[in-house]
Amino acid sequence: MASPFAQIEAARAAAAAVLVDMGRLAEADMVARGQGDDFLEVRTALLAVQRASGRVALLERALHCYADPDFWDAEPCEAMLAYHDRGDVARAALRGRDGFAQHRD
């Protein structure tokens, strides 16, 4: 997940762009310089960035599960995690749940 600093920077950039589009250039400049974190536009953008960041982290975790060679390699075939998974980790991630943990417990 993106660091809190990266999240606020992304939120500031998004909010500043919105303010520019609205013609509120002085406020956009304040936000871009980090002086408007209490603005509704910044707070709203931060919430959106945090939610998107959490979703991306969940999807990346699922991809890492499938990218792990140990997930696919085992003898006999029934011993490999992929044999039992059948896409469960991916489906869980797409539903917003962490399906990775079920295979590593």
Side-chain angles (χ1 to χ4, degrees):
M1 187 178 298
S3 71
F5 179 76
Q7 290 178 348
I8 190 66
E9 287 297 315
R12 286 175 184 151
V18 168
L19 291 166
V20 166
D21 286 348
M22 295 170 59
R24 295 167 52 190
L25 301 181
E27 291 166 312
D29 184 55
M30 285 178 61
V31 167
R33 289 184 282 127
Q35 298 174 339
D37 290 351
D38 60 336
F39 285 16
L40 178 60
E41 294 83 358
V42 176
R43 296 176 63 131
T44 302
L46 181 58
L47 180 60
V49 166
Q50 288 171 334
R51 288 190 177 171
S53 179
R55 176 131 174 99
V56 167
L58 186 61
L59 295 173
E60 285 179 348
R61 189 165 159 88
L63 284 173
H64 282 290
C65 177
Y66 290 124
D68 181 355
D70 290 339
F71 187 78
W72 301 97
D73 295 332
E75 292 293 333
C77 170
E78 293 83 7
M80 65 181 171
L81 291 172
Y83 178 85
H84 299 284
D85 173 69
R86 300 183 189 269
D88 285 343
V89 170
R91 282 189 293 280
L94 291 169
R95 286 192 308 268
R97 298 189 183 133
D98 189 353
F100 177 80
Q102 71 190 17
H103 289 306
R104 297 292 185 192
D105 290 342

